[in-house]
Amino acid sequence: MDKRQYIEEGRAVLGIELGSTRIKAVLIDQRGEILAKGGFDWENHLVEGVWTYSLPEVWQGLQSCYRDLAGRVRQEYGVTLKKLSALGISGMMHGYMPFDKEGNLLATFRTWRNNVPASTAHTLTELFRYNIPQRWSVAHLYQAILDGEEYVEKVDYMPTLSAYVHWQLTGQRVLGIGDASGMFPVDVSKGDYRQDMLDTFDGMLAYKGYPWKLRQILPKVLVAGQPAGSLTARGAALLDPSGNLEPGIPLCPPEGDAGTGMVATNCIRERRGNVSAGTSAFAMLVLEKELSQVYTQLDMVATPASKLVAMAHAQNCTSAINDWVGLIREALEAFGIRPTEGELYQTLFLKANEGDADCGGLLPYCFYSGEHGVELAKGMPMVMHPADARFSLANFMRAQIYTCFGAMRLGMDILVKKEQAAMDQMLGHGGLFKTPGVAQGILAAALNVPVAVMETAGEGGAWGIALLAAYLERAKEGQPLEEYLDGTVFKDCPMTVMQPDPEAVKGYEAFLARYKKGLAAERAAVEALL
């Protein structure tokens, strides 16, 4: 069947992911082949100390993204998009979105970039004997309680961004276990929240007399392949105000960007790992067994199929690079030179390959926001270059990419060196890997393991959630997600693998030693100026 007929008959599958700087839509067939793409650029705002997006922006972005996709389908295939066989929604993990019974947002939406005070996360970690990072939803809820926020007693529902959009499209208050595991601890053997910890949390707050228990305001947990409702007439109109999209489309459980990243890189079996590098950077490894102890530098989360995962998360990655590239663009335009965005990034990234292995002594930090792994409540991008440093464009760009993986690498050291976690290979995906052979080689050096990148690396989670939506049909037949991905989607998927270069490994170690020492200067700058 040709692609035009396939789409016209409503057999295509759509995945949409709300990322930090871009909302992406990917239309695929059941084998995972991309038929069309759409997108919309957006950016979070720092409003009264909170990194946020407004709800109108969410819907404007979703509608614009879908309209872009539908327009491309019409242009390329001559088809008006009306029917789909399945749909999936993904979004940034964590966050805080408390709603009342009427569906009103009670507090400013707090994205994953917002941290609560370390003492709050520490209290919950001690209470549960389980690491509760500062950006997790339950930490934000508990902080609101400690701060005496009056609206807390009115909370009726507390979703993540993906769960919120899914709720509006289907009326269902559900969430995939990967995203749910960034709200509250989960039991991967049961595919649900940890009931003992729910009871502990409720017991701690019993004196408050709130009219809700925690489970009642959290989304219901679902595992990949389980039905998660269908697109309502209201939901179809929200997504496609033109009225062309028909209701009744089945949806898969909504997921977070970490979970869809695992699917997009086929990293849901034990010993497989991936690194997502965009606005944030995080490395995820599917574990063969529980860790021996609690580490605040490692999040314990789940694959969409409910397997245990350790995540070394860094809240900051490419924002600082984007600023520097923007500055270089301004300089070029002042001379009448106007390269395309793709040309500019590719040229500068390829220049990084010419830099010294240790970046010539340069030391940048990409901390736009706080970074709990290095004890930073707030962030401030910095560049330090001693007088004897070799300050060149090549070293500058190489150092900017090196620092993207710095905080994440510190967490991975615990996982690999202390816990001896087995790791066969890492796969990279996200915007940082778009220029072939640059960030991929640096990551291989940073982790000292082979790093693979697939041709779909730049599509990331939008493709991943589309695959989870396509899996709904296979799940009905009892096929495990791992078999669908291995046997159908990734069977003949081309990828490039880069081995760690010994000199680059030594250079990154030298950089990391400097990185650790310089953190004192970063903390002092934050304390002095913010």
Side-chain angles (χ1 to χ4, degrees):
M1 184 182 299
D2 65 27
K3 294 178 181 180
R4 182 185 186 282
Q5 184 181 356
Y6 191 90
I7 296 171
E8 196 167 35
E9 292 184 0
R11 301 181 64 182
V13 177
L14 176 61
I16 301 177
E17 180 162 273
L18 296 96
S20 300
T21 59
R22 188 164 175 79
I23 302 176
K24 294 181 181 179
V26 174
L27 193 71
I28 66 169
D29 64 17
Q30 286 288 333
R31 297 168 301 172
E33 182 181 347
I34 296 175
L35 304 173
K37 297 183 288 187
F40 175 78
D41 293 328
W42 70 340
E43 187 58 73
N44 53 190
H45 317 288
L46 187 61
V47 180
E48 297 181 352
V50 175
W51 291 102
T52 188
Y53 306 83
S54 70
L55 294 190
E57 284 180 301
V58 170
W59 294 107
Q60 176 194 354
L62 279 167
Q63 291 167 2
S64 297
C65 179
Y66 181 83
R67 184 168 57 249
D68 183 43
L69 172 82
R72 292 171 186 269
V73 169
R74 189 179 301 109
Q75 181 179 11
E76 186 170 352
Y77 300 104
V79 175
T80 297
L81 201 56
K82 296 181 178 180
K83 301 177 183 179
L84 298 166
S85 66
L87 170 63
I89 300 295
S90 176
M92 298 168 274
M93 282 186 78
H94 320 304
Y96 183 58
M97 303 182 77
F99 292 88
D100 64 16
K101 289 183 179 180
E102 285 72 43
N104 300 308
L105 186 61
L106 296 170
T108 303
F109 168 36
R110 299 168 196 171
T111 74
W112 57 270
R113 296 187 86 168
N114 296 281
N115 286 336
V116 301
S119 59
T120 301
H122 178 74
T123 296
L124 291 176
T125 298
E126 289 292 308
L127 181 70
F128 298 141
R129 296 181 182 177
Y130 191 100
N131 183 35
I132 305 296
Q134 292 167 259
R135 65 191 176 280
W136 276 26
S137 304
V138 68
H140 283 287
L141 175 64
Y142 186 52
Q143 187 62 51
I145 293 169
L146 293 178
D147 290 343
E149 300 286 350
E150 294 182 359
Y151 67 80
V152 172
E153 65 177 5
K154 300 177 184 177
V155 175
D156 185 66
Y157 187 38
M158 188 179 69
T160 60
L161 181 58
S162 71
Y164 162 70
V165 173
H166 184 97
W167 173 40
Q168 297 300 301
L169 296 182
T170 67
Q172 301 296 310
R173 294 170 35 153
V174 299
L175 185 59
I177 192 167
D179 206 359
S181 66
M183 298 191 78
F184 192 84
V186 299
D187 182 336
V188 292
S189 66
K190 296 180 178 178
D192 198 4
Y193 301 115
R194 287 280 300 267
Q195 185 61 51
D196 57 334
M197 297 181 187
L198 289 171
D199 292 340
T200 298
F201 188 83
D202 290 336
M204 178 181 65
L205 298 179
Y207 75 99
K208 289 282 189 180
Y210 292 137
W212 49 261
K213 299 294 186 183
L214 186 54
R215 180 181 285 278
Q216 294 171 342
I217 64 173
L218 289 172
K220 179 183 177 183
V221 179
L222 296 178
V223 175
Q226 290 184 296
S230 59
L231 187 67
T232 64
R234 176 179 178 272
L238 273 173
L239 191 56
D240 179 20
S242 73
N244 290 321
L245 186 63
E246 298 177 4
I249 300 165
L251 273 80
C252 68
E255 266 296 354
D257 51 0
T260 55
M262 285 187 278
V263 173
T265 52
N266 196 20
C267 292
I268 61 169
R269 290 188 186 272
E270 291 84 353
R271 300 169 65 99
R272 293 185 184 178
N274 76 86
V275 170
S276 173
T279 305
S280 64
F282 46 87
M284 309 189 71
L285 181 63
V286 187
L287 301 178
E288 296 178 292
K289 60 181 180 178
E290 295 269 359
L291 300 183
S292 65
Q293 66 183 80
V294 174
Y295 297 99
T296 57
Q297 299 91 339
L298 296 173
D299 296 13
M300 303 308 298
V301 292
T303 71
S306 199
K307 290 187 178 179
L308 188 65
V309 176
M311 174 198 286
H313 186 279
Q315 302 215 146
N316 301 273
C317 186
T318 59
S319 293
I321 285 183
N322 293 338
D323 276 356
W324 285 112
V325 172
L327 183 67
I328 293 170
R329 175 193 292 279
E330 284 188 45
L332 290 172
E333 289 179 347
F335 287 94
I337 303 170
R338 291 177 170 78
T340 66
E341 183 174 292
E343 290 171 338
L344 187 58
Y345 273 92
Q346 181 163 321
T347 299
L348 292 172
F349 270 53
L350 289 173
K351 195 70 179 176
N353 273 349
E354 302 174 16
D356 298 324
D358 68 347
C359 305
L362 300 181
L363 179 59
Y365 290 106
C366 59
F367 300 133
Y368 249 74
S369 61
E371 195 67 71
H372 76 282
V374 294
E375 300 176 357
L376 271 178
K378 295 181 180 180
M380 180 187 299
M382 290 177 60
V383 176
M384 288 182 274
H385 55 99
D388 60 349
R390 295 177 295 281
F391 192 57
S392 66
L393 180 60
N395 279 336
F396 181 81
M397 289 305 302
R398 190 171 184 86
Q400 289 293 335
I401 301 174
Y402 269 36
T403 200
C404 284
F405 300 127
M408 181 193 76
R409 161 62 194 274
L410 297 179
M412 286 300 292
D413 278 352
I414 295 172
L415 193 58
V416 175
K417 295 179 180 179
K418 287 189 177 181
E419 289 290 330
Q420 301 292 306
M423 178 169 53
D424 294 332
Q425 176 178 282
M426 296 295 284
L427 286 96
H429 73 109
L432 199 63
F433 297 102
K434 283 187 176 180
T435 303
V438 182
Q440 181 182 4
I442 289 173
L443 179 61
L447 299 181
N448 197 18
V449 296
V451 172
V453 171
M454 301 176 182
E455 288 185 355
T456 53
E459 308 311 325
W463 187 56
I465 192 64
L467 294 176
L468 287 173
Y471 173 64
L472 283 173
E473 280 299 315
R474 303 301 181 97
K476 291 178 183 177
E477 303 166 5
Q479 184 181 36
L481 179 59
E482 296 90 337
E483 290 185 10
Y484 168 61
L485 295 178
D486 281 343
T488 301
V489 179
F490 292 96
K491 185 178 180 181
D492 301 310
C493 187
M495 68 171 69
T496 58
V497 180
M498 292 189 70
Q499 301 292 328
D501 176 76
E503 286 303 311
V505 172
K506 291 179 183 176
Y508 197 89
E509 291 301 322
F511 172 84
L512 192 66
R514 192 162 63 245
Y515 180 95
K516 292 177 182 178
K517 292 178 181 178
L519 284 170
E522 170 74 19
R523 296 187 189 106
V526 169
E527 184 176 345
L529 299 175
L530 295 182

